[in-house]
Amino acid sequence: MPVPTEELKLEIVNAATGKTLGAKAAPSADGALVVRDFPDDGPRPEQWQLAPVPAAQGEQAPDDQAYVIRNAVSGKVLDNPAAKDRGVRQWDAAAGKKGQQWHVVPVEGEAGLYFIEGATDGAVLDLDDPGEDDTRIVLREHDDGAESQRWRFVPAEPERTSDPVLRWAALGHWNGRQSWRLDRSTALRPTPDATPSFSNMLLVLEQFGSDKDAGEWKSDGANRSPGGQSGWWAGAGARFLADTTGAKRSDIVGLKPAKGAVASSGRGDGTFDDERVLHQAVPSPNPADLWTLVDTTGDGRPDIVVLATDGVRVSAQDEEGKFAPAGGELVLKAFGHGQQAGGWLADRHPRFVADTTGDGRLDVVGCHDDGVWASLQDEEGKFAPIADEPVLRAFGHDEKAGGWLADKHPRFLADTTGDGRLDIVGCHDDGVWVSLQDEEGTFAEPLYVLDDFGVDQGWSSVEEHPRFLLRTTEGGALDIVGFGPQGVVVSRGRGDGTFEPSKLVLNDFGLAQGWTSGKHLRFLADVTGDGDPDIVGFGDEGVWVSHSRGEGRFEQAQLVCRGFGHNEDAGGWRVDRHPRFLADITGDGRVDIVGFGGPGVYVARNLFRRFRTR
């Protein structure tokens, strides 16, 4: 587990005994610390906070950051009194005292375990007698094989609250129009002084649902959406939101083999028109085809791009909003799932449509068995045939190209240096690797830049632990944000292709807090309109939001909508049947919640700015 930020409260647990660091059952005047059991019906264990020691003025923080380990209740700190018996105590804080400063050193090859090392002499926390109850904490010379010198930080339970939830009440008018007013719901007890940020759910369209009367939609094909990556792929039966016209607001799009692509245009008020055919079906559609809507040429109008059997096909959108040709023009005989186009497989070979060079035109990039392949788009809108060799023999499925697995090792195209060119970033078993792109479009050999976000650190799969590359502060470098085993982890980007050591910034949305890929969805999106991404999670009880504080930190989560959740009283939404999205459907610059339930399309409007008092 990464070292937690200063705000998080922790229990410190000894790896050898499983017992928790704290005072004696009858605390003594000398402040001595022990490890002991804390029964469920007794007092709770002490909680601690790691406060980083600030660097001297004009100096950068050293690589071996020192911390003051502070009792979250009493304010006393972990102290080395330099006594003969090397006993460790909790004592009053003294500014600048080296005996109260500690290094937190990861145990190599043991995810989530640390040595707690004194800043003065390098001695580490150990147990006086590991076999005894209430054994004292002492300082000893570091022994890499001593399990009693290894410690685990366990975050406290999240401090969740709720916003008031508003429900829609339908109104009838003399002219036959319908509208809705917002009434307070008594379903939740709100946090004091909070204001609504989302309305409750409203059924706005009785189509695109999984029920028979709503179209009996079912996702049959792959639905690939790299976390934090511009560009996504949808398979047969998928429903999603996209700006189909360039109007800067989202429409509903669905893929049905018999009909082709159908859409429902947003009206700008949170409702949608009836279903219409967006793109005619091809004579023999292949369920393995993958679709996306992107502006390939920079003219402001999104086009349909399909990874088909024979390669990449594009249906351009004209000025009247029509897509042609129906089957798409074959623009590139590569990146397709047929053998004649390279035999690219959805569960093995990630592919991206992105502007890799900064020229405003989208290119096609993919990671095959033997490495990275690319086709650049020229000034005339033509895609260059792929070369005889991959542009980089890395990030591929085969062992010679790194042994990257699609279900375990997420890969991204992202500008980590701010030069306008996209680099390749991947999270492998051992952590994060980066390949920088130079001015000539050449990708350098990958560099190992961070020992986190990998399988070895507990990030077991792409689905269970989503990871994103995005700016957590407007105008800053790209950071890595992930939903890890213990909660939300952030590594701030340095703007040169490397990243700062990761931090556990929030004790929520992780496996330890009950969030699983089989039940829950987690996203990053700007809920408040301030330019910084917030965390949005579709949990058991409904929708939870953790507002950004900037600089890669987030507030404790609040329940903002009693709907779209896994529990039956929150709608009984299921990950495999009910897609949910965050998208601006009104054009006001703030994301709303849109979900495809059984009866059709549900919406919860974003009310944050209208009612904002924070």
Side-chain angles (χ1 to χ4, degrees):
M1 187 186 82
V3 176
T5 52
E6 181 174 355
E7 297 86 357
L8 292 191
K9 299 174 183 178
L10 313 161
E11 295 175 14
I12 302 178
V13 179
N14 185 260
T17 63
K19 297 182 178 181
T20 305
L21 173 70
K24 298 177 181 178
S28 56
D30 62 1
L33 291 170
V34 299
V35 292
R36 66 186 184 92
D37 291 321
F38 288 82
D40 292 339
D41 57 353
R44 301 304 303 154
E46 274 94 341
Q47 293 182 349
W48 306 85
Q49 292 172 293
L50 302 182
V53 177
Q57 189 172 3
E59 295 182 6
Q60 290 186 342
D63 292 336
D64 55 344
Q65 173 69 61
Y67 296 88
V68 173
I69 302 178
R70 190 182 310 277
N71 190 303
V73 175
S74 69
K76 294 184 180 293
V77 301
L78 209 65
D79 182 84
N80 171 18
K84 185 177 180 180
D85 64 359
R86 305 305 317 265
V88 176
R89 63 183 182 176
Q90 58 176 333
W91 207 249
D92 293 331
K97 182 180 177 183
K98 283 288 187 180
Q100 295 180 351
Q101 297 179 13
W102 308 86
H103 295 140
V104 178
V105 183
V107 178
E108 188 173 353
E110 296 284 348
L113 295 181
Y114 294 88
F115 299 108
I116 301 177
E117 176 187 84
T120 53
D121 58 6
V124 300
L125 260 60
D126 200 351
L127 305 184
D128 188 27
D129 188 344
E132 292 292 321
D133 292 334
D134 293 357
T135 187
R136 296 170 63 248
I137 306 300
V138 297
L139 284 166
R140 286 205 177 103
E141 183 178 347
H142 169 254
D143 179 357
D144 202 47
E147 191 175 6
S148 59
Q149 294 182 359
R150 304 179 183 196
W151 301 85
R152 178 177 290 108
F153 298 121
V154 179
E157 290 294 315
E159 300 172 6
R160 294 170 174 162
T161 56
S162 70
D163 273 2
V165 174
L166 302 184
R167 61 183 176 84
W168 293 91
L171 295 174
H173 296 268
W174 63 270
N175 59 2
R177 293 181 57 216
Q178 279 193 315
S179 62
W180 298 267
R181 68 170 179 261
L182 294 170
D183 292 339
R184 283 190 176 271
S185 168
T186 58
L188 294 173
R189 181 171 58 86
T191 186
D193 303 323
T195 54
S197 53
F198 281 93
S199 73
N200 213 347
M201 295 192 311
L202 174 70
L203 180 63
V204 298
L205 186 65
E206 295 182 9
Q207 294 171 329
F208 294 98
S210 57
D211 291 352
K212 185 175 182 179
D213 292 342
E216 211 167 8
W217 283 78
K218 178 183 177 183
S219 296
D220 299 319
N223 198 0
R224 300 291 174 187
S225 179
Q229 175 69 46
S230 60
W232 43 265
W233 300 105
R239 291 149 287 166
F240 52 90
L241 292 162
D243 179 4
T244 64
T245 64
K248 307 301 181 185
R249 63 173 181 258
S250 295
D251 307 313
I252 295 170
V253 180
L255 304 178
K256 269 201 169 178
K259 290 185 177 181
V262 296
S264 179
S265 298
R267 294 171 177 157
D269 61 355
T271 64
F272 298 88
D273 292 330
D274 287 336
E275 179 184 302
R276 61 183 172 86
V277 175
L278 182 70
H279 187 263
Q280 293 287 345
V282 296
S284 300
N286 193 312
D289 291 349
L290 297 178
W291 290 57
T292 189
L293 269 79
V294 288
D295 179 7
T296 61
T297 62
D299 63 1
R301 296 188 298 270
D303 310 306
I304 293 175
V305 180
V306 181
L307 301 178
T309 304
D310 51 356
V312 180
R313 289 183 167 270
V314 174
S315 294
Q317 184 178 180
D318 62 23
E319 295 181 358
E320 297 179 356
K322 297 180 180 179
F323 293 86
E329 177 189 355
L330 182 63
V331 299
L332 188 60
K333 295 179 180 179
F335 299 105
H337 48 83
Q339 289 303 313
Q340 70 272 34
W344 292 72
L345 305 177
D347 59 355
R348 181 179 289 193
H349 307 132
R351 284 153 285 177
F352 308 91
V353 177
D355 178 8
T356 63
T357 62
D359 64 0
R361 292 183 175 273
L362 300 188
D363 313 304
V364 183
V365 180
C367 302
H368 207 286
D369 292 336
D370 50 357
V372 179
W373 295 80
S375 170
L376 303 185
Q377 189 181 175
D378 63 22
E379 295 180 357
E380 298 179 356
K382 303 293 185 181
F383 288 91
I386 60 173
D388 294 332
E389 298 287 335
V391 298
L392 182 65
R393 290 193 178 276
F395 298 102
H397 181 82
D398 289 348
E399 286 299 322
K400 290 183 178 180
W404 293 75
L405 305 178
D407 60 341
K408 289 186 176 181
H409 306 135
R411 281 152 281 181
F412 309 88
L413 293 177
D415 180 8
T416 64
T417 63
D419 64 359
R421 292 181 172 273
L422 300 188
D423 312 304
I424 304 171
V425 182
C427 304
H428 207 284
D429 290 342
D430 51 358
V432 180
W433 292 78
V434 174
S435 171
L436 299 180
Q437 184 184 181
D438 63 23
E439 294 180 356
E440 297 178 355
T442 301
F443 289 96
E445 283 298 310
L447 294 175
Y448 179 62
V449 298
L450 187 65
D451 58 346
D452 202 357
F453 300 103
V455 175
D456 293 347
Q457 293 88 30
W459 302 72
S460 58
S461 72
V462 170
E463 287 190 351
E464 201 64 67
H465 301 296
R467 280 146 278 184
F468 300 81
L469 268 173
L470 75 176
R471 291 175 177 83
T472 61
T473 301
E474 192 172 14
L478 288 178
D479 307 317
I480 303 174
V481 182
F483 298 99
Q486 297 293 331
V488 180
V489 179
V490 173
S491 177
R492 302 297 308 282
R494 294 187 172 117
D496 60 358
T498 66
F499 299 87
E500 295 178 2
S502 57
K503 297 284 186 183
L504 180 69
V505 301
L506 187 64
N507 56 334
D508 209 342
F509 299 103
L511 199 61
Q513 293 84 31
W515 292 78
T516 66
S517 61
K519 293 182 178 181
H520 310 123
L521 301 173
R522 288 155 287 179
F523 301 101
L524 284 147
D526 182 7
V527 169
T528 63
D530 63 358
D532 295 338
D534 309 297
I535 296 170
V536 183
F538 294 83
D540 290 330
E541 305 87 348
V543 183
W544 295 86
V545 169
S546 178
H547 293 293
S548 172
R549 299 170 51 203
E551 306 297 329
R553 299 194 179 191
F554 299 89
E555 297 175 0
Q556 290 285 325
Q558 290 183 326
L559 185 64
V560 300
C561 182
R562 186 84 177 200
F564 301 105
H566 183 81
N567 289 351
E568 290 303 319
D569 59 357
W573 292 71
R574 298 294 180 260
V575 169
D576 59 343
R577 296 202 304 274
H578 306 133
R580 283 150 283 176
F581 299 91
L582 299 167
D584 180 9
I585 58 175
T586 62
D588 64 2
R590 296 170 296 140
V591 295
D592 308 290
I593 303 170
V594 181
F596 297 90
V601 181
Y602 289 85
V603 165
R605 289 283 300 278
N606 190 327
L607 308 172
F608 187 83
R609 190 173 292 163
R610 183 182 304 170
F611 289 91
R612 184 172 183 180
T613 60
R614 292 188 180 93

